[in-house]
mmCIF file of all heavy atoms in Angstrom:
data_model
loop_
_atom_site.group_PDB
_atom_site.id
_atom_site.type_symbol
_atom_site.label_atom_id
_atom_site.label_comp_id
_atom_site.label_asym_id
_atom_site.label_seq_id
_atom_site.Cartn_x
_atom_site.Cartn_y
_atom_site.Cartn_z
ATOM 1 N N ALA F 218 25.683 41.672 175.993
ATOM 2 C CA ALA F 218 26.126 42.813 176.789
ATOM 3 C C ALA F 218 25.836 44.119 176.064
ATOM 4 O O ALA F 218 25.452 45.117 176.689
ATOM 5 C CB ALA F 218 27.613 42.697 177.102
ATOM 6 N N ASP F 221 22.462 45.121 176.586
ATOM 7 C CA ASP F 221 22.287 45.700 177.920
ATOM 8 C C ASP F 221 22.851 47.114 178.012
ATOM 9 O O ASP F 221 22.794 47.732 179.081
ATOM 10 C CB ASP F 221 22.977 44.829 178.979
ATOM 11 C CG ASP F 221 22.304 43.478 179.144
ATOM 12 O OD1 ASP F 221 21.113 43.370 178.793
ATOM 13 O OD2 ASP F 221 22.968 42.536 179.620
ATOM 14 N N GLY F 222 23.440 47.615 176.909
ATOM 15 C CA GLY F 222 23.956 48.980 176.900
ATOM 16 C C GLY F 222 25.452 49.106 177.019
ATOM 17 O O GLY F 222 25.990 50.216 176.984
ATOM 18 N N HIS F 223 26.164 47.986 177.153
ATOM 19 C CA HIS F 223 27.617 48.040 177.343
ATOM 20 C C HIS F 223 28.355 48.100 176.007
ATOM 21 O O HIS F 223 27.936 47.479 175.025
ATOM 22 C CB HIS F 223 28.099 46.816 178.117
ATOM 23 C CG HIS F 223 27.454 46.653 179.460
ATOM 24 N ND1 HIS F 223 27.591 47.579 180.465
ATOM 25 C CD2 HIS F 223 26.650 45.671 179.957
ATOM 26 C CE1 HIS F 223 26.911 47.176 181.532
ATOM 27 N NE2 HIS F 223 26.326 46.029 181.239
ATOM 28 N N CYS F 224 29.468 48.820 175.986
ATOM 29 C CA CYS F 224 30.336 48.858 174.798
ATOM 30 C C CYS F 224 31.494 47.881 174.921
ATOM 31 O O CYS F 224 32.204 47.634 173.943
ATOM 32 C CB CYS F 224 30.876 50.273 174.584
ATOM 33 S SG CYS F 224 29.587 51.492 174.284
ATOM 34 N N HIS F 225 31.721 47.364 176.095
ATOM 35 C CA HIS F 225 32.709 46.308 176.325
ATOM 36 C C HIS F 225 32.363 45.651 177.658
ATOM 37 O O HIS F 225 31.418 46.083 178.343
ATOM 38 C CB HIS F 225 34.134 46.885 176.374
ATOM 39 C CG HIS F 225 34.381 47.766 177.566
ATOM 40 N ND1 HIS F 225 34.186 49.126 177.538
ATOM 41 C CD2 HIS F 225 34.762 47.481 178.855
ATOM 42 C CE1 HIS F 225 34.464 49.645 178.723
ATOM 43 N NE2 HIS F 225 34.803 48.664 179.537
ATOM 44 N N LEU F 226 33.095 44.633 178.019
ATOM 45 C CA LEU F 226 32.945 44.017 179.335
ATOM 46 C C LEU F 226 34.319 43.859 179.974
ATOM 47 O O LEU F 226 35.295 43.537 179.272
ATOM 48 C CB LEU F 226 32.281 42.640 179.235
ATOM 49 C CG LEU F 226 30.770 42.577 179.003
ATOM 50 C CD1 LEU F 226 30.323 41.128 178.918
ATOM 51 C CD2 LEU F 226 30.000 43.308 180.093
ATOM 52 N N PRO F 227 34.428 44.058 181.284
ATOM 53 C CA PRO F 227 35.659 43.648 181.963
ATOM 54 C C PRO F 227 35.875 42.153 181.760
ATOM 55 O O PRO F 227 34.912 41.386 181.755
ATOM 56 C CB PRO F 227 35.374 43.981 183.435
ATOM 57 C CG PRO F 227 34.297 45.016 183.392
ATOM 58 C CD PRO F 227 33.463 44.680 182.195
ATOM 59 N N GLU F 230 34.082 39.680 184.013
ATOM 60 C CA GLU F 230 32.631 39.637 183.815
ATOM 61 C C GLU F 230 32.273 38.864 182.550
ATOM 62 O O GLU F 230 31.303 38.094 182.534
ATOM 63 C CB GLU F 230 32.056 41.053 183.745
ATOM 64 C CG GLU F 230 30.531 41.065 183.659
ATOM 65 C CD GLU F 230 29.931 42.450 183.734
ATOM 66 O OE1 GLU F 230 30.613 43.369 184.230
ATOM 67 O OE2 GLU F 230 28.765 42.615 183.295
ATOM 68 N N ARG F 234 29.964 35.559 182.468
ATOM 69 C CA ARG F 234 28.761 35.457 181.630
ATOM 70 C C ARG F 234 28.854 34.258 180.702
ATOM 71 O O ARG F 234 27.874 33.525 180.509
ATOM 72 C CB ARG F 234 28.586 36.731 180.809
ATOM 73 C CG ARG F 234 28.108 37.946 181.588
ATOM 74 C CD ARG F 234 27.861 39.108 180.644
ATOM 75 N NE ARG F 234 27.393 40.315 181.320
ATOM 76 C CZ ARG F 234 26.439 41.103 180.867
ATOM 77 N NH1 ARG F 234 25.840 40.824 179.712
ATOM 78 N NH2 ARG F 234 26.077 42.191 181.516
ATOM 79 N N ARG F 262 39.794 44.966 179.567
ATOM 80 C CA ARG F 262 38.525 45.120 178.877
ATOM 81 C C ARG F 262 38.517 44.316 177.589
ATOM 82 O O ARG F 262 39.517 44.241 176.884
ATOM 83 C CB ARG F 262 38.275 46.596 178.555
ATOM 84 C CG ARG F 262 38.199 47.475 179.794
ATOM 85 C CD ARG F 262 38.377 48.920 179.427
ATOM 86 N NE ARG F 262 38.007 49.820 180.508
ATOM 87 C CZ ARG F 262 38.161 51.121 180.482
ATOM 88 N NH1 ARG F 262 38.666 51.693 179.405
ATOM 89 N NH2 ARG F 262 37.811 51.867 181.502
ATOM 90 N N PRO F 432 19.567 56.256 180.381
ATOM 91 C CA PRO F 432 20.464 56.139 179.232
ATOM 92 C C PRO F 432 19.705 55.631 178.011
ATOM 93 O O PRO F 432 18.569 55.153 178.125
ATOM 94 C CB PRO F 432 21.515 55.125 179.700
ATOM 95 C CG PRO F 432 20.832 54.332 180.770
ATOM 96 C CD PRO F 432 19.886 55.285 181.438
ATOM 97 N N GLY F 437 25.932 52.360 174.994
ATOM 98 C CA GLY F 437 26.596 53.620 175.247
ATOM 99 C C GLY F 437 25.804 54.535 176.160
ATOM 100 O O GLY F 437 24.651 54.277 176.524
ATOM 101 N N ARG F 438 26.452 55.606 176.526
ATOM 102 C CA ARG F 438 25.861 56.702 177.323
ATOM 103 C C ARG F 438 26.531 57.983 176.835
ATOM 104 O O ARG F 438 27.267 58.647 177.553
ATOM 105 C CB ARG F 438 26.068 56.469 178.825
ATOM 106 C CG ARG F 438 27.489 56.140 179.210
ATOM 107 C CD ARG F 438 27.650 55.666 180.636
ATOM 108 N NE ARG F 438 27.285 56.649 181.618
ATOM 109 C CZ ARG F 438 28.087 57.621 182.060
ATOM 110 N NH1 ARG F 438 29.309 57.771 181.544
ATOM 111 N NH2 ARG F 438 27.680 58.452 182.991
ATOM 112 N N ASP F 441 26.323 61.575 178.640
ATOM 113 C CA ASP F 441 27.027 61.517 179.926
ATOM 114 C C ASP F 441 28.534 61.450 179.716
ATOM 115 O O ASP F 441 29.302 62.127 180.409
ATOM 116 C CB ASP F 441 26.562 60.296 180.725
ATOM 117 C CG ASP F 441 25.159 60.467 181.279
ATOM 118 O OD1 ASP F 441 24.846 61.557 181.760
ATOM 119 O OD2 ASP F 441 24.379 59.510 181.208
ATOM 120 N N ASP F 442 28.966 60.607 178.779
ATOM 121 C CA ASP F 442 30.399 60.445 178.554
ATOM 122 C C ASP F 442 31.041 61.732 178.041
ATOM 123 O O ASP F 442 32.159 62.082 178.441
ATOM 124 C CB ASP F 442 30.650 59.310 177.560
ATOM 125 C CG ASP F 442 30.574 57.936 178.212
ATOM 126 O OD1 ASP F 442 30.605 57.881 179.451
ATOM 127 O OD2 ASP F 442 30.479 56.935 177.485
ATOM 128 N N LEU F 443 30.353 62.428 177.143
ATOM 129 C CA LEU F 443 30.920 63.674 176.622
ATOM 130 C C LEU F 443 31.017 64.725 177.722
ATOM 131 O O LEU F 443 31.977 65.508 177.767
ATOM 132 C CB LEU F 443 30.077 64.193 175.454
ATOM 133 C CG LEU F 443 30.067 63.324 174.190
ATOM 134 C CD1 LEU F 443 29.262 63.997 173.084
ATOM 135 C CD2 LEU F 443 31.481 63.031 173.706
ATOM 136 N N LEU F 444 30.040 64.745 178.621
ATOM 137 C CA LEU F 444 30.122 65.654 179.764
ATOM 138 C C LEU F 444 31.243 65.242 180.713
ATOM 139 O O LEU F 444 32.016 66.088 181.187
ATOM 140 C CB LEU F 444 28.786 65.685 180.511
ATOM 141 C CG LEU F 444 27.627 66.398 179.804
ATOM 142 C CD1 LEU F 444 26.300 66.070 180.484
ATOM 143 C CD2 LEU F 444 27.848 67.907 179.796
ATOM 144 N N ASP F 445 31.362 63.939 180.969
ATOM 145 C CA ASP F 445 32.391 63.446 181.891
ATOM 146 C C ASP F 445 33.796 63.670 181.347
ATOM 147 O O ASP F 445 34.753 63.819 182.123
ATOM 148 C CB ASP F 445 32.190 61.957 182.175
ATOM 149 C CG ASP F 445 30.956 61.688 183.022
ATOM 150 O OD1 ASP F 445 30.408 62.651 183.594
ATOM 151 O OD2 ASP F 445 30.539 60.514 183.106
ATOM 152 N N ALA F 446 33.936 63.695 180.027
ATOM 153 C CA ALA F 446 35.264 63.869 179.438
ATOM 154 C C ALA F 446 35.859 65.220 179.798
ATOM 155 O O ALA F 446 37.091 65.372 179.880
ATOM 156 C CB ALA F 446 35.178 63.713 177.920
ATOM 157 N N THR F 650 14.885 53.028 190.362
ATOM 158 C CA THR F 650 15.994 53.962 190.559
ATOM 159 C C THR F 650 15.468 55.384 190.453
ATOM 160 O O THR F 650 14.374 55.626 189.958
ATOM 161 C CB THR F 650 17.093 53.769 189.489
ATOM 162 O OG1 THR F 650 16.534 54.087 188.204
ATOM 163 C CG2 THR F 650 17.622 52.346 189.473
ATOM 164 N N ASN F 652 16.685 57.805 188.463
ATOM 165 C CA ASN F 652 16.552 58.297 187.085
ATOM 166 C C ASN F 652 15.402 57.621 186.348
ATOM 167 O O ASN F 652 14.833 58.197 185.422
ATOM 168 C CB ASN F 652 17.865 58.203 186.309
ATOM 169 C CG ASN F 652 18.424 56.803 186.240
ATOM 170 O OD1 ASN F 652 17.973 55.895 186.926
ATOM 171 N ND2 ASN F 652 19.440 56.631 185.416
ATOM 172 N N VAL F 680 18.101 54.754 195.262
ATOM 173 C CA VAL F 680 19.067 54.186 194.313
ATOM 174 C C VAL F 680 19.354 55.207 193.218
ATOM 175 O O VAL F 680 18.444 55.607 192.487
ATOM 176 C CB VAL F 680 18.525 52.876 193.693
ATOM 177 C CG1 VAL F 680 19.539 52.289 192.723
ATOM 178 C CG2 VAL F 680 18.200 51.870 194.788
ATOM 179 N N ARG F 681 20.626 55.622 193.090
ATOM 180 C CA ARG F 681 20.966 56.694 192.145
ATOM 181 C C ARG F 681 20.724 56.276 190.708
ATOM 182 O O ARG F 681 20.151 57.009 189.924
ATOM 183 C CB ARG F 681 22.441 57.103 192.321
ATOM 184 C CG ARG F 681 22.878 58.222 191.389
ATOM 185 C CD ARG F 681 22.154 59.515 191.738
ATOM 186 N NE ARG F 681 22.414 60.571 190.768
ATOM 187 C CZ ARG F 681 21.697 60.803 189.680
ATOM 188 N NH1 ARG F 681 20.640 60.058 189.415
ATOM 189 N NH2 ARG F 681 21.987 61.787 188.863
ATOM 190 N N ASP F 682 21.219 55.120 190.299
ATOM 191 C CA ASP F 682 20.925 54.617 188.961
ATOM 192 C C ASP F 682 21.007 53.109 188.981
ATOM 193 O O ASP F 682 21.374 52.507 189.989
ATOM 194 C CB ASP F 682 21.848 55.215 187.889
ATOM 195 C CG ASP F 682 23.321 54.942 188.171
ATOM 196 O OD1 ASP F 682 23.661 53.799 188.527
ATOM 197 O OD2 ASP F 682 24.143 55.870 188.032
ATOM 198 N N GLY F 683 20.655 52.492 187.861
ATOM 199 C CA GLY F 683 20.535 51.039 187.809
ATOM 200 C C GLY F 683 21.819 50.306 187.473
ATOM 201 O O GLY F 683 21.777 49.171 187.054
ATOM 202 N N GLY F 684 22.963 50.926 187.646
ATOM 203 C CA GLY F 684 24.218 50.256 187.323
ATOM 204 C C GLY F 684 24.921 50.955 186.178
ATOM 205 O O GLY F 684 24.313 51.290 185.172
ATOM 206 N N ARG F 685 26.191 51.176 186.329
ATOM 207 C CA ARG F 685 26.951 51.922 185.333
ATOM 208 C C ARG F 685 27.207 51.060 184.103
ATOM 209 O O ARG F 685 27.510 49.885 184.196
ATOM 210 C CB ARG F 685 28.280 52.382 185.919
ATOM 211 C CG ARG F 685 29.097 53.229 184.956
ATOM 212 C CD ARG F 685 30.206 53.945 185.691
ATOM 213 N NE ARG F 685 31.006 54.722 184.758
ATOM 214 C CZ ARG F 685 30.780 55.983 184.445
ATOM 215 N NH1 ARG F 685 29.753 56.601 184.973
ATOM 216 N NH2 ARG F 685 31.571 56.622 183.613
ATOM 217 N N ARG F 686 27.086 51.684 182.943
ATOM 218 C CA ARG F 686 27.401 50.987 181.697
ATOM 219 C C ARG F 686 28.913 51.004 181.472
ATOM 220 O O ARG F 686 29.591 51.972 181.809
ATOM 221 C CB ARG F 686 26.692 51.666 180.526
ATOM 222 C CG ARG F 686 25.181 51.541 180.580
ATOM 223 C CD ARG F 686 24.523 52.112 179.346
ATOM 224 N NE ARG F 686 23.093 51.809 179.332
ATOM 225 C CZ ARG F 686 22.315 51.927 178.268
ATOM 226 N NH1 ARG F 686 22.817 52.350 177.124
ATOM 227 N NH2 ARG F 686 21.040 51.628 178.334
ATOM 228 N N HIS F 687 29.386 49.944 180.881
ATOM 229 C CA HIS F 687 30.812 49.857 180.572
ATOM 230 C C HIS F 687 31.077 50.557 179.242
ATOM 231 O O HIS F 687 30.729 50.044 178.173
ATOM 232 C CB HIS F 687 31.260 48.395 180.499
ATOM 233 C CG HIS F 687 31.106 47.657 181.801
ATOM 234 N ND1 HIS F 687 31.764 48.038 182.936
ATOM 235 C CD2 HIS F 687 30.368 46.567 182.138
ATOM 236 C CE1 HIS F 687 31.446 47.221 183.927
ATOM 237 N NE2 HIS F 687 30.592 46.322 183.463
ATOM 238 N N THR F 688 31.647 51.745 179.303
ATOM 239 C CA THR F 688 31.987 52.507 178.106
ATOM 240 C C THR F 688 33.375 53.108 178.287
ATOM 241 O O THR F 688 33.867 53.248 179.412
ATOM 242 C CB THR F 688 30.978 53.643 177.849
ATOM 243 O OG1 THR F 688 31.113 54.624 178.886
ATOM 244 C CG2 THR F 688 29.542 53.127 177.829
ATOM 245 N N ARG F 689 34.009 53.509 177.181
ATOM 246 C CA ARG F 689 35.332 54.153 177.242
ATOM 247 C C ARG F 689 35.339 55.510 176.553
ATOM 248 O O ARG F 689 36.385 56.126 176.422
ATOM 249 C CB ARG F 689 36.378 53.258 176.552
ATOM 250 C CG ARG F 689 36.657 51.960 177.249
ATOM 251 C CD ARG F 689 37.598 51.116 176.422
ATOM 252 N NE ARG F 689 37.043 50.883 175.102
ATOM 253 C CZ ARG F 689 37.748 50.403 174.072
ATOM 254 N NH1 ARG F 689 39.026 50.135 174.224
ATOM 255 N NH2 ARG F 689 37.174 50.200 172.905
ATOM 256 N N LEU F 690 34.181 55.962 176.091
ATOM 257 C CA LEU F 690 34.150 57.175 175.286
ATOM 258 C C LEU F 690 34.709 58.371 176.047
ATOM 259 O O LEU F 690 35.467 59.174 175.480
ATOM 260 C CB LEU F 690 32.713 57.456 174.831
ATOM 261 C CG LEU F 690 32.538 58.657 173.897
ATOM 262 C CD1 LEU F 690 33.305 58.456 172.603
ATOM 263 C CD2 LEU F 690 31.053 58.891 173.601
ATOM 264 N N ALA F 691 34.351 58.512 177.329
ATOM 265 C CA ALA F 691 34.840 59.657 178.091
ATOM 266 C C ALA F 691 36.370 59.664 178.137
ATOM 267 O O ALA F 691 37.010 60.703 177.943
ATOM 268 C CB ALA F 691 34.261 59.637 179.504
ATOM 269 N N GLU F 692 36.967 58.511 178.387
ATOM 270 C CA GLU F 692 38.425 58.422 178.461
ATOM 271 C C GLU F 692 39.068 58.692 177.110
ATOM 272 O O GLU F 692 40.102 59.365 177.010
ATOM 273 C CB GLU F 692 38.829 57.035 178.968
ATOM 274 C CG GLU F 692 38.306 56.713 180.355
ATOM 275 C CD GLU F 692 38.546 55.259 180.709
ATOM 276 O OE1 GLU F 692 39.365 54.615 180.026
ATOM 277 O OE2 GLU F 692 37.920 54.768 181.651
#
Side-chain angles (χ1 to χ4, degrees):
D221 293 337
H223 302 298
C224 298
H225 67 268
L226 284 179
E230 185 174 340
R234 286 185 180 222
R262 299 163 167 175
R438 50 191 297 276
D441 287 318
D442 280 345
L443 294 183
L444 288 166
D445 290 347
T650 64
N652 58 349
V680 181
R681 181 66 187 90
D682 58 45
R685 183 165 178 91
R686 293 185 172 195
H687 297 299
T688 68
R689 293 175 303 166
L690 184 62
E692 299 171 16

